[in-house]
Amino acid sequence: MALPTLRIIGFIIGIFLITLAVSMAVPMATLVIFERTGDMPSFLWSSLITFIAGLALVVQGRPEHVHLRPRDMYLLTVSSWLVVCVFAALPFLLTQHISYTDAFFESMSGITATGATVLSGLDNMSPGILMWRSMLHWLGGIGFIAMAVAILPLLRIGGMRLFQTESSDRSEKVMPRSHMVAKSIVGVYVGFSILGALAFWWAGMSPFDAINHAMSAISTGGFSTSDQSLAKWDIPAVHWVAVVVMIMGSLPFTLYVATLRGNRKALIRDQQVQGLLGMLVVTWLVLGTWYWYSTNLHWLDALRHVALNVTSVVTTTGFSLGDYSLWGNFSLMLFFYLGFVGGCSGSTAGGIKIFRFQVAYILLKASLNQLIHPRAVIKQKYNGHRLDEDIVRSILTFSFFFAITICVMALLLSLLGVDWMTALTGAAGTVSGVGPGLGEVIGPSGNYATLPDAAKWILAAGMLLGRLEIITVLVLCMPAFWRH
């Protein structure tokens, strides 16, 4: 890797760190508003250290006439997320007086919008820390959208090549410049965050709780301001607002931009949007009816509990309304499966993503038809685009390594003495970005605090792998990557 290339990567990471340092002013302002300034020195020191580190990388300047190649973007993507997490952990370390392992785990969970936590006593926790957790979700969410739209397609990873604003040639001319796309997406993201906060406030939350939950929901992160998550608010309107905002965060942001620019049917015509919404509604109705039948709840209350928990798991958010792992073996198994699905490509959601399941179905159907009609020429199309070999290979490779990553992590956790339920669902929950696992330890009513430190580092690595679509990280392990 040439020195000028490393300087550019360092320069960009420096900008990220300065942005992170400036962002710490928000939790500091929160501390002033709530008159809880005891934690102010910790945030000041964290901001100062982060700013100096960023300045040291930026001050050397950006080398001219040097451009990043696609292969350089792998290193930039992975290193920037890692370095930001290292410094974002400082407020947790200095205010909560926890180990750096726990601080890094919480930071990684925040910035990757996973929602797994080691902290408890949230109801009485410093408002500055609560705001910082939600802000990490929010910053990580917009960072992931930018990466999914601008970087992953360059690296031939992800699904955005399949998803244009519409199927015609005009689709690629809707917004010709990438910086215009980025500005529009940021505008939509900020707008949805404000609307979400106002909706939560209208539904019955305090302004502080409303802002925090809006940032967590739109980023499909899942950090709450209460140990009970959304069960603290026994208000149906709050729960339905959360469902709507989580779904908004799990749909492609490029399609929101296209809709605002005049293509009114961009969202409803998109095959992955149709698939995700259809699957959610069917699951709500089936599981909701089963839950109503097996409890004394009114059908609408049963549907609300199911809708929130199912949407939270499918969109990889991690909010909970009660402990759904106690609903019985059928629901336990169903929630485990749903955790792998994920939202749409180009959204803040994690997981395998719904389009990969849809493409797999198309390939299966084509293979079966080929067996019946061996000489037939079967065209395979998805969302108006032909499924070429590159896309199919990318989907197969990602899906295989997604499963392998979870299996290896679960084995390593078992080697550390973690029980099989915690090991398997913890690995799946962190790689998928859902957050909570299943069982007594890391289920919806528990957290990751009691796990060994080594287990937390393994799970933190799983969060990074899952958020960056795995292949982006694995390619750095190839000796050939570093030879030139």
Side-chain angles (χ1 to χ4, degrees):
M1 194 69 69
L3 186 60
T5 301
L6 292 176
R7 278 185 60 193
I8 291 181
I9 291 172
F11 181 84
I12 296 170
I13 292 174
I15 293 172
F16 289 158
L17 289 181
I18 291 172
T19 304
L20 189 73
V22 173
S23 299
M24 292 183 194
V26 176
M28 284 191 269
T30 305
L31 290 171
V32 172
I33 292 169
F34 280 85
E35 299 180 351
R36 296 273 295 271
T37 53
D39 289 332
M40 187 69 80
S42 299
F43 274 102
L44 282 169
W45 277 111
S46 300
S47 180
L48 184 62
I49 292 168
T50 306
F51 184 82
I52 290 172
L55 194 63
L57 291 170
V58 168
V59 75
Q60 59 186 336
R62 185 188 189 283
E64 293 183 6
H65 311 300
V66 179
H67 300 283
L68 290 176
R69 300 165 296 172
R71 60 175 286 149
D72 301 327
M73 299 293 281
Y74 288 103
L75 182 60
L76 171 62
T77 302
V78 177
S79 58
S80 59
W81 284 71
L82 264 176
V83 172
V84 166
C85 285
V86 166
F87 286 90
L90 292 176
F92 297 116
L93 183 70
L94 298 178
T95 60
Q96 298 304 113
H97 307 295
I98 55 178
S99 67
Y100 187 77
T101 295
D102 283 353
F104 183 82
F105 181 94
E106 196 78 10
S107 167
M108 179 65 79
S109 181
I111 208 76
T112 57
T114 303
T117 185
V118 294
L119 299 179
S120 55
L122 300 176
D123 299 80
N124 301 310
M125 193 168 282
S126 162
I129 280 294
L130 294 176
M131 180 61 73
W132 183 236
R133 294 167 86 235
S134 300
M135 280 197 67
L136 288 180
H137 273 345
W138 194 83
L139 293 170
I142 189 62
F144 182 65
I145 294 170
M147 185 183 73
V149 172
I151 297 176
L152 292 182
L154 272 178
L155 306 181
R156 308 186 79 77
I157 297 170
M160 285 312 294
R161 284 176 297 157
L162 275 172
F163 307 114
Q164 305 295 340
T165 52
E166 60 183 26
S167 298
S168 66
D169 291 335
R170 181 180 170 275
S171 65
E172 299 184 18
K173 301 172 186 175
V174 172
M175 302 185 67
R177 297 183 182 178
S178 58
H179 74 272
M180 289 173 64
V181 178
K183 285 169 68 175
S184 296
I185 288 175
V186 169
V188 170
Y189 190 74
V190 171
F192 280 172
S193 303
I194 294 169
L195 287 174
L198 291 173
F200 274 120
W201 185 27
W202 166 84
M205 282 186 171
S206 70
F208 177 74
D209 290 327
I211 291 168
N212 277 275
H213 284 87
M215 286 195 286
S216 286
I218 198 64
S219 64
T220 61
F223 280 154
S224 178
T225 55
S226 172
D227 289 333
Q228 297 174 270
S229 192
L230 290 177
K232 179 182 177 181
W233 292 271
D234 191 18
I235 308 170
V238 167
H239 304 153
W240 286 115
V241 166
V243 169
V244 171
V245 179
M246 286 188 287
I247 291 174
M248 287 165 64
S250 66
L251 301 183
F253 276 73
T254 50
L255 295 185
Y256 290 131
V257 173
T259 302
L260 291 173
R261 291 188 159 255
N263 186 1
R264 302 299 179 196
K265 295 183 179 180
L267 272 170
I268 60 174
R269 281 181 177 171
D270 189 83
Q271 212 165 322
Q272 62 169 346
V273 173
Q274 294 170 358
L276 178 65
L277 296 180
M279 191 204 72
L280 282 175
V281 171
V282 170
T283 309
W284 292 353
L285 293 175
V286 172
L287 188 58
T289 302
W290 175 86
Y291 189 51
W292 163 73
Y293 181 76
S294 57
T295 62
N296 294 321
L297 288 173
H298 187 277
W299 187 81
L300 283 175
D301 289 330
L303 182 67
R304 172 168 50 88
H305 279 75
V306 165
L308 193 146
N309 286 310
V310 165
T311 305
S312 177
V313 170
V314 169
T315 62
T316 69
T317 305
F319 285 143
S320 63
L321 181 56
D323 191 347
Y324 51 77
S325 65
L326 303 176
W327 290 3
N329 291 331
F330 169 69
S331 63
L332 197 69
M333 188 61 70
L334 183 60
F335 275 111
F336 179 67
Y337 290 155
L338 291 174
F340 293 104
V341 177
C344 298
S345 186
S347 72
T348 60
I352 294 177
K353 302 288 194 307
I354 192 75
F355 84 91
R356 290 189 173 101
F357 289 99
Q358 292 174 309
V359 170
Y361 171 73
I362 291 169
L363 295 175
L364 173 63
K365 188 178 175 183
S367 297
L368 294 176
N369 282 327
Q370 197 77 62
L371 290 174
I372 299 168
H373 307 287
R375 297 188 179 185
V377 177
I378 299 170
K379 292 182 179 180
Q380 299 167 19
K381 295 186 77 174
Y382 177 74
N383 223 45
H385 296 266
R386 188 173 64 86
L387 289 173
D388 58 34
E389 282 189 24
D390 271 1
I391 291 169
V392 173
R393 185 166 54 245
S394 170
I395 289 170
L396 290 175
T397 304
F398 170 80
S399 302
F400 175 76
F401 280 106
F402 188 92
I404 289 294
T405 301
I406 291 173
C407 292
V408 170
M409 282 177 54
L411 278 174
L412 291 174
L413 293 171
S414 299
L415 193 64
L416 295 171
V418 177
D419 69 273
W420 74 268
M421 172 78 83
T422 303
L424 181 59
T425 62
T430 49
V431 175
S432 297
V434 175
L438 297 172
E440 294 181 7
V441 181
I442 60 170
S445 58
N447 66 25
Y448 288 76
T450 58
L451 296 184
D453 280 359
K456 291 170 186 170
W457 284 106
I458 291 169
L459 291 170
M463 295 179 209
L464 185 68
L465 282 163
R467 177 56 31 168
L468 301 187
E469 304 261 294
I470 297 176
I471 309 300
T472 312
V473 182
L474 291 184
V475 74
L476 299 185
C477 302
M478 299 287 292
F481 178 86
W482 302 98
R483 282 184 192 145
H484 300 289

